[in-house]
Amino acid sequence: MLPKPSKVSRVITVLSGGVGAARLLGALSMVMEPSEITAVVNVGDDLVLHGLTICPDLDTITYTLAGLNNDKLSWGLRGESWRVMDALEDLGGEAWFRLGDRDLATHLYRTQRLAEGATKSDVARELCEHWGVAVRLLPVTNDEVATMFDTEVGRLSFQEYFVRHRHGIEVSAISFDGAERAVAAPEVLDALRTCSRIVIAPSNPLISIEPILQVPGIRAILEDRHADVVAVSPIIAGAAVKGPADRLLAELGHDVSCVGVAHYYRGLIGTLVIDQADAELATAVRERGINVHVTTTIMSSPENARRLGEAVLS
Ligand code: FO1
Protein backbone atom coordinates (compact mmCIF):
# COMPACT_ATOMS: atom_id res chain seq x y z
CA MET A 1 0.00 0.00 0.00
CA LEU A 2 1.28 3.47 -0.86
CA PRO A 3 2.03 5.82 2.07
CA LYS A 4 -0.63 8.45 2.71
CA PRO A 5 0.23 11.73 0.90
CA SER A 6 1.60 14.29 3.34
CA LYS A 7 -0.89 17.01 4.29
CA VAL A 8 1.91 19.55 4.60
CA SER A 9 1.93 21.92 1.66
CA ARG A 10 4.50 24.50 0.61
CA VAL A 11 2.47 27.44 1.81
CA ILE A 12 3.48 29.53 4.75
CA THR A 13 1.21 31.24 7.24
CA VAL A 14 2.16 34.55 8.83
CA LEU A 15 0.67 35.83 12.10
CA SER A 16 0.29 39.51 11.27
CA GLY A 17 -0.28 42.91 12.84
CA GLY A 18 -0.08 46.12 10.79
CA VAL A 19 2.95 47.89 9.32
CA GLY A 20 5.73 45.42 10.30
CA ALA A 21 3.69 42.51 8.99
CA ALA A 22 2.77 44.34 5.79
CA ARG A 23 6.46 44.92 5.09
CA LEU A 24 7.39 41.32 5.87
CA LEU A 25 4.60 40.02 3.62
CA GLY A 26 5.95 42.29 0.87
CA ALA A 27 9.46 40.90 1.50
CA LEU A 28 8.20 37.30 1.38
CA SER A 29 6.32 38.07 -1.84
CA MET A 30 9.70 38.91 -3.39
CA VAL A 31 11.09 35.44 -2.72
CA MET A 32 8.10 33.14 -3.08
CA GLU A 33 4.79 32.89 -4.89
CA PRO A 34 2.48 35.41 -3.11
CA SER A 35 -0.49 33.09 -3.59
CA GLU A 36 1.31 30.55 -1.37
CA ILE A 37 1.32 33.01 1.55
CA THR A 38 -1.54 33.25 4.04
CA ALA A 39 -1.66 36.08 6.56
CA VAL A 40 -3.71 35.53 9.72
CA VAL A 41 -4.45 39.09 10.74
CA ASN A 42 -5.13 40.76 14.09
CA VAL A 43 -8.56 42.35 14.54
CA GLY A 44 -8.05 43.65 18.10
CA ASP A 45 -7.47 47.21 16.75
CA ASP A 46 -10.78 47.23 14.84
CA LEU A 47 -13.32 49.88 15.70
CA VAL A 48 -16.74 51.16 14.79
CA LEU A 49 -16.70 54.92 14.29
CA HIS A 50 -19.34 57.09 12.58
CA GLY A 51 -21.23 53.80 12.20
CA LEU A 52 -18.41 52.42 10.02
CA THR A 53 -16.45 49.23 10.67
CA ILE A 54 -12.73 49.98 10.34
CA CYS A 55 -10.08 47.22 10.30
CA PRO A 56 -6.71 49.02 10.45
CA ASP A 57 -4.40 45.99 10.26
CA LEU A 58 -6.28 44.31 7.41
CA ASP A 59 -6.38 47.61 5.50
CA THR A 60 -2.71 48.47 6.13
CA ILE A 61 -1.67 45.08 4.76
CA THR A 62 -4.04 45.25 1.78
CA TYR A 63 -2.96 48.79 0.83
CA THR A 64 0.75 47.95 1.25
CA LEU A 65 0.63 44.78 -0.83
CA ALA A 66 -1.40 46.63 -3.49
CA GLY A 67 1.27 49.36 -3.57
CA LEU A 68 -1.34 51.93 -2.48
CA ASN A 69 -0.17 52.65 1.07
CA ASN A 70 0.65 56.09 2.37
CA ASP A 71 4.39 55.81 3.13
CA LYS A 72 4.50 59.12 4.95
CA LEU A 73 1.80 58.22 7.49
CA SER A 74 2.39 54.43 7.31
CA TRP A 75 -1.41 53.97 7.39
CA GLY A 76 -4.14 54.89 4.92
CA LEU A 77 -3.87 55.49 1.19
CA ARG A 78 -1.33 57.49 -0.77
CA GLY A 79 -2.46 60.64 -2.57
CA GLU A 80 -5.16 61.01 0.08
CA SER A 81 -7.29 64.12 0.65
CA TRP A 82 -9.02 65.02 3.94
CA ARG A 83 -12.04 67.12 2.95
CA VAL A 84 -14.59 65.01 4.82
CA MET A 85 -12.53 64.98 8.06
CA ASP A 86 -11.91 68.72 7.81
CA ALA A 87 -15.62 69.37 7.29
CA LEU A 88 -16.46 67.05 10.20
CA GLU A 89 -13.98 68.84 12.44
CA ASP A 90 -15.57 72.12 11.40
CA LEU A 91 -18.94 70.79 12.59
CA GLY A 92 -17.39 69.84 15.95
CA GLY A 93 -17.69 66.12 15.09
CA GLU A 94 -15.33 63.34 16.19
CA ALA A 95 -12.26 63.84 14.02
CA TRP A 96 -9.37 62.54 16.18
CA PHE A 97 -9.19 59.31 14.18
CA ARG A 98 -8.44 60.60 10.70
CA LEU A 99 -10.19 58.85 7.83
CA GLY A 100 -9.03 60.07 4.43
CA ASP A 101 -11.59 60.64 1.68
CA ARG A 102 -10.52 57.60 -0.34
CA ASP A 103 -9.93 55.41 2.73
CA LEU A 104 -13.54 56.19 3.73
CA ALA A 105 -14.72 54.33 0.63
CA THR A 106 -13.12 51.12 2.03
CA HIS A 107 -14.99 51.50 5.33
CA LEU A 108 -18.27 52.37 3.58
CA TYR A 109 -17.88 49.31 1.37
CA ARG A 110 -17.04 46.99 4.31
CA THR A 111 -19.89 48.31 6.45
CA GLN A 112 -22.41 47.87 3.64
CA ARG A 113 -21.22 44.32 2.95
CA LEU A 114 -21.37 43.42 6.66
CA ALA A 115 -24.95 44.78 6.77
CA GLU A 116 -25.77 42.49 3.84
CA GLY A 117 -24.54 39.49 5.84
CA ALA A 118 -20.96 39.20 4.56
CA THR A 119 -18.15 38.56 7.06
CA LYS A 120 -14.86 40.41 7.54
CA SER A 121 -13.23 37.41 5.83
CA ASP A 122 -15.48 37.91 2.77
CA VAL A 123 -14.70 41.63 2.64
CA ALA A 124 -10.94 41.04 3.01
CA ARG A 125 -11.08 38.62 0.06
CA GLU A 126 -13.16 41.00 -2.06
CA LEU A 127 -10.83 43.95 -1.43
CA CYS A 128 -7.77 41.81 -2.23
CA GLU A 129 -9.39 40.62 -5.45
CA HIS A 130 -10.28 44.21 -6.35
CA TRP A 131 -6.71 45.47 -5.90
CA GLY A 132 -4.96 42.37 -7.24
CA VAL A 133 -3.42 41.23 -3.94
CA ALA A 134 -2.50 37.56 -4.30
CA VAL A 135 -1.55 36.95 -0.64
CA ARG A 136 -4.51 35.36 1.16
CA LEU A 137 -5.59 37.63 4.05
CA LEU A 138 -7.63 35.99 6.78
CA PRO A 139 -8.88 38.01 9.76
CA VAL A 140 -8.14 35.74 12.73
CA THR A 141 -11.84 35.74 13.67
CA ASN A 142 -15.10 37.20 12.44
CA ASP A 143 -16.19 37.67 16.04
CA GLU A 144 -15.46 40.76 18.05
CA VAL A 145 -12.12 40.86 19.90
CA ALA A 146 -11.23 44.24 21.42
CA THR A 147 -7.73 44.96 22.75
CA MET A 148 -8.16 47.07 25.89
CA PHE A 149 -5.66 48.97 28.02
CA ASP A 150 -5.79 49.67 31.75
CA THR A 151 -4.02 53.01 31.97
CA GLU A 152 -3.35 55.87 34.36
CA VAL A 153 -6.45 57.61 32.87
CA GLY A 154 -8.73 54.55 32.97
CA ARG A 155 -9.68 51.68 30.65
CA LEU A 156 -9.19 52.57 26.99
CA SER A 157 -9.91 50.92 23.66
CA PHE A 158 -6.98 50.28 21.32
CA GLN A 159 -7.38 53.39 19.18
CA GLU A 160 -8.11 55.63 22.17
CA TYR A 161 -4.78 54.54 23.65
CA PHE A 162 -2.87 54.43 20.36
CA VAL A 163 -4.15 57.48 18.48
CA ARG A 164 -6.05 59.70 20.92
CA HIS A 165 -3.36 59.44 23.62
CA ARG A 166 -0.53 58.80 21.09
CA HIS A 167 0.53 55.73 23.13
CA GLY A 168 2.15 58.15 25.55
CA ILE A 169 0.45 57.13 28.79
CA GLU A 170 1.36 54.43 31.28
CA VAL A 171 -0.29 51.02 30.84
CA SER A 172 -0.71 48.61 33.76
CA ALA A 173 -2.53 45.76 31.95
CA ILE A 174 -3.73 44.69 28.50
CA SER A 175 -6.78 42.49 27.91
CA PHE A 176 -8.66 41.12 24.92
CA ASP A 177 -12.40 41.45 25.35
CA GLY A 178 -14.32 38.67 23.62
CA ALA A 179 -11.24 36.59 22.75
CA GLU A 180 -12.17 33.54 24.84
CA ARG A 181 -15.57 33.29 23.10
CA ALA A 182 -14.23 34.04 19.61
CA VAL A 183 -14.23 31.35 16.95
CA ALA A 184 -11.32 31.26 14.51
CA ALA A 185 -12.47 32.41 11.07
CA PRO A 186 -12.89 29.82 8.29
CA GLU A 187 -9.57 28.49 6.94
CA VAL A 188 -7.48 29.97 9.80
CA LEU A 189 -6.90 26.80 11.83
CA ASP A 190 -6.50 24.76 8.67
CA ALA A 191 -3.92 27.20 7.27
CA LEU A 192 -1.92 26.97 10.52
CA ARG A 193 -2.15 23.18 10.69
CA THR A 194 -1.23 22.41 7.08
CA CYS A 195 1.36 25.03 6.10
CA SER A 196 5.00 24.06 5.91
CA ARG A 197 6.09 26.98 8.10
CA ILE A 198 4.44 29.44 10.46
CA VAL A 199 5.99 32.90 10.68
CA ILE A 200 5.38 35.47 13.41
CA ALA A 201 5.82 38.90 11.82
CA PRO A 202 7.89 41.62 13.53
CA SER A 203 4.68 43.06 14.96
CA ASN A 204 4.14 44.09 18.57
CA PRO A 205 4.01 40.79 20.57
CA LEU A 206 1.74 42.25 23.28
CA ILE A 207 -0.89 44.03 21.21
CA SER A 208 -0.69 42.66 17.65
CA ILE A 209 0.29 39.00 18.02
CA GLU A 210 -1.19 38.24 21.46
CA PRO A 211 -4.81 38.95 20.36
CA ILE A 212 -4.30 36.37 17.60
CA LEU A 213 -2.86 33.81 20.05
CA GLN A 214 -5.83 34.40 22.38
CA VAL A 215 -8.35 33.08 19.85
CA PRO A 216 -9.10 29.50 20.99
CA GLY A 217 -7.15 26.84 19.11
CA ILE A 218 -4.32 29.02 17.79
CA ARG A 219 -1.80 28.91 20.65
CA ALA A 220 -2.21 25.12 20.84
CA ILE A 221 -1.30 24.72 17.15
CA LEU A 222 1.84 26.84 17.61
CA GLU A 223 2.81 24.85 20.71
CA ASP A 224 2.33 21.65 18.76
CA ARG A 225 4.29 22.89 15.73
CA HIS A 226 6.83 25.13 17.50
CA ALA A 227 9.76 23.58 15.59
CA ASP A 228 8.17 24.94 12.38
CA VAL A 229 7.55 28.43 13.79
CA VAL A 230 9.91 31.31 12.95
CA ALA A 231 9.48 34.72 14.59
CA VAL A 232 11.17 37.96 13.52
CA SER A 233 12.09 40.14 16.50
CA PRO A 234 10.40 43.56 16.42
CA ILE A 235 12.95 44.79 18.98
CA ILE A 236 16.34 45.88 17.65
CA ALA A 237 19.09 47.11 19.98
CA GLY A 238 16.58 47.60 22.79
CA ALA A 239 14.08 49.66 20.78
CA ALA A 240 11.00 49.08 18.65
CA VAL A 241 11.36 49.85 14.95
CA LYS A 242 7.95 51.57 15.16
CA GLY A 243 5.23 52.05 17.76
CA PRO A 244 5.15 51.44 21.51
CA ALA A 245 6.43 47.82 21.75
CA ASP A 246 9.54 48.83 23.72
CA ARG A 247 7.61 51.06 26.11
CA LEU A 248 4.86 48.48 26.69
CA LEU A 249 7.30 45.61 27.21
CA ALA A 250 9.10 47.66 29.87
CA GLU A 251 5.88 48.84 31.54
CA LEU A 252 4.59 45.28 31.78
CA GLY A 253 7.82 43.88 33.20
CA HIS A 254 9.38 42.23 30.14
CA ASP A 255 13.00 42.46 29.03
CA VAL A 256 13.19 45.01 26.18
CA SER A 257 15.44 43.02 23.86
CA CYS A 258 15.28 40.16 21.40
CA VAL A 259 15.92 37.89 24.43
CA GLY A 260 12.74 39.29 26.00
CA VAL A 261 10.91 38.53 22.73
CA ALA A 262 12.31 34.96 22.77
CA HIS A 263 11.12 34.59 26.36
CA TYR A 264 7.67 35.96 25.49
CA TYR A 265 7.31 33.40 22.67
CA ARG A 266 8.77 30.50 24.70
CA GLY A 267 7.18 27.18 23.79
CA LEU A 268 5.74 28.68 20.60
CA ILE A 269 8.76 29.16 18.31
CA GLY A 270 11.69 27.11 17.10
CA THR A 271 13.66 29.96 15.53
CA LEU A 272 14.03 33.69 16.16
CA VAL A 273 15.41 35.99 13.48
CA ILE A 274 17.32 38.83 15.15
CA ASP A 275 19.07 41.89 13.81
CA GLN A 276 22.82 42.13 13.31
CA ALA A 277 22.86 44.87 15.95
CA ASP A 278 21.87 42.17 18.50
CA ALA A 279 24.34 39.50 17.33
CA GLU A 280 25.92 39.32 20.80
CA LEU A 281 22.53 38.28 22.27
CA ALA A 282 22.30 35.18 20.03
CA THR A 283 23.79 32.92 22.71
CA ALA A 284 21.27 34.10 25.32
CA VAL A 285 18.43 33.28 22.90
CA ARG A 286 19.96 29.85 22.08
CA GLU A 287 20.20 29.11 25.81
CA ARG A 288 16.38 29.23 25.79
CA GLY A 289 16.37 26.32 23.33
CA ILE A 290 15.55 28.55 20.34
CA ASN A 291 17.56 28.60 17.09
CA VAL A 292 18.81 32.01 16.01
CA HIS A 293 19.27 33.52 12.57
CA VAL A 294 21.16 36.83 12.52
CA THR A 295 20.57 39.20 9.59
CA THR A 296 19.48 42.77 8.82
CA THR A 297 15.85 42.86 9.89
CA ILE A 298 15.08 46.50 9.06
CA MET A 299 13.40 46.45 5.64
CA SER A 300 14.78 49.85 4.64
CA SER A 301 15.62 48.85 1.05
CA PRO A 302 14.37 46.19 -1.38
CA GLU A 303 17.70 44.33 -0.95
CA ASN A 304 17.31 44.20 2.83
CA ALA A 305 13.69 43.13 2.50
CA ARG A 306 14.64 40.33 0.09
CA ARG A 307 17.42 39.17 2.45
CA LEU A 308 14.98 39.05 5.37
CA GLY A 309 12.45 37.16 3.24
CA GLU A 310 15.14 34.62 2.35
CA ALA A 311 16.23 34.33 6.00
CA VAL A 312 12.67 33.59 7.11
CA LEU A 313 12.33 30.86 4.47
CA SER A 314 15.80 29.37 4.89
N1 FO1 B 1 -3.02 56.29 13.18
C1 FO1 B 1 -2.82 57.52 13.72
O1 FO1 B 1 -1.78 57.72 14.36
N2 FO1 B 1 -3.75 58.53 13.58
C2 FO1 B 1 -4.90 58.35 12.88
O2 FO1 B 1 -5.71 59.29 12.77
C3 FO1 B 1 -5.12 57.07 12.26
C4 FO1 B 1 -6.23 56.82 11.48
C5 FO1 B 1 -6.34 55.58 10.83
C6 FO1 B 1 -7.40 55.35 9.96
C7 FO1 B 1 -7.53 54.14 9.31
C8 FO1 B 1 -6.58 53.14 9.53
O3 FO1 B 1 -6.69 51.96 8.89
C9 FO1 B 1 -5.51 53.34 10.39
C10 FO1 B 1 -5.37 54.57 11.04
N3 FO1 B 1 -4.31 54.82 11.89
C11 FO1 B 1 -4.13 56.05 12.45
C12 FO1 B 1 -3.33 53.76 12.18
C13 FO1 B 1 -3.78 52.82 13.33
O4 FO1 B 1 -4.25 53.52 14.42
C14 FO1 B 1 -2.63 52.00 13.91
O5 FO1 B 1 -1.44 52.18 13.24
C15 FO1 B 1 -2.90 50.54 13.95
O6 FO1 B 1 -4.13 50.22 14.49
C16 FO1 B 1 -1.78 49.82 14.73
O7 FO1 B 1 -1.41 48.73 14.00
Side-chain angles (χ1 to χ4, degrees):
M1 203 165 108
L2 287 170
K4 265 193 185 164
S6 165
K7 272 175 104 178
V8 175
S9 65
R10 280 173 300 131
V11 299
I12 66 158
T13 302
V14 185
L15 302 194
S16 302
V19 181
R23 290 189 184 143
L24 182 69
L25 290 164
L28 288 166
S29 299
M30 295 165 88
V31 295
M32 67 182 284
E33 202 45 63
S35 59
E36 293 186 341
I37 305 170
T38 296
V40 171
V41 184
N42 171 41
V43 294
D45 307 12
D46 293 8
L47 68 161
V48 175
L49 194 61
H50 320 300
L52 301 175
T53 299
I54 303 160
C55 303
D57 285 352
L58 281 164
D59 290 346
T60 294
I61 294 174
T62 307
Y63 294 164
T64 302
L65 295 178
L68 299 169
N69 58 306
N70 187 324
D71 282 334
K72 221 156 94 197
L73 293 173
S74 77
W75 47 269
L77 286 159
R78 73 172 44 157
E80 190 56 282
S81 57
W82 304 92
R83 297 187 61 171
V84 174
M85 276 299 112
D86 290 346
L88 184 64
E89 200 163 18
D90 212 36
L91 289 171
E94 232 181 318
W96 58 273
F97 194 76
R98 308 284 294 167
L99 299 171
D101 298 335
R102 293 179 64 223
D103 187 32
L104 266 169
T106 303
H107 316 310
L108 287 166
Y109 177 80
R110 174 180 292 114
T111 305
Q112 173 68 31
R113 291 289 294 123
L114 295 178
E116 289 166 1
T119 62
K120 282 183 187 175
S121 306
D122 296 327
V123 178
R125 189 183 58 251
E126 289 163 11
L127 293 174
C128 283
E129 271 166 20
H130 176 74
W131 280 306
V133 172
V135 172
R136 180 170 63 150
L137 298 196
L138 304 176
V140 61
T141 177
N142 286 313
D143 297 328
E144 216 169 289
V145 173
T147 301
M148 302 294 295
F149 295 83
D150 289 345
T151 77
E152 53 187 312
V153 301
R155 198 155 193 262
L156 300 176
S157 71
F158 186 98
Q159 300 299 346
E160 283 172 325
Y161 163 74
F162 203 91
V163 174
R164 210 170 203 170
H165 290 276
R166 297 176 186 175
H167 47 75
I169 50 175
E170 200 169 320
V171 172
S172 54
I174 303 171
S175 45
F176 308 98
D177 284 8
E180 73 283 357
R181 293 184 304 277
V183 176
E187 304 175 74
V188 166
L189 297 181
D190 199 48
L192 287 164
R193 282 196 198 105
T194 61
C195 61
S196 57
R197 181 165 301 186
I198 298 170
V199 179
I200 302 181
S203 302
N204 187 321
L206 301 172
I207 60 175
S208 297
I209 302 301
E210 189 59 40
I212 299 176
L213 296 173
Q214 290 278 326
V215 172
I218 295 197
R219 176 175 279 275
I221 296 175
L222 266 72
E223 281 168 356
D224 203 36
R225 301 201 58 193
H226 68 273
D228 301 324
V229 183
V230 180
V232 180
S233 174
I235 300 292
I236 302 176
V241 178
K242 214 188 155 292
D246 43 9
R247 187 187 163 131
L248 285 173
L249 283 166
E251 282 173 355
L252 296 171
H254 302 280
D255 181 10
V256 189
S257 72
C258 61
V259 184
V261 173
H263 187 70
Y264 191 84
Y265 289 140
R266 66 195 178 281
L268 300 178
I269 64 173
T271 303
L272 184 66
V273 180
I274 67 172
D275 195 82
Q276 266 161 1
D278 290 321
E280 80 279 8
L281 296 176
T283 309
V285 175
R286 285 194 189 102
E287 278 166 8
R288 283 162 170 75
I290 293 169
N291 298 316
V292 180
H293 191 114
V294 184
T295 187
T296 303
T297 58
I298 297 185
M299 293 167 270
S300 51
S301 66
E303 300 76 58
N304 285 353
R306 173 180 284 276
R307 204 171 313 130
L308 179 61
E310 277 161 359
V312 164
L313 296 183
S314 70

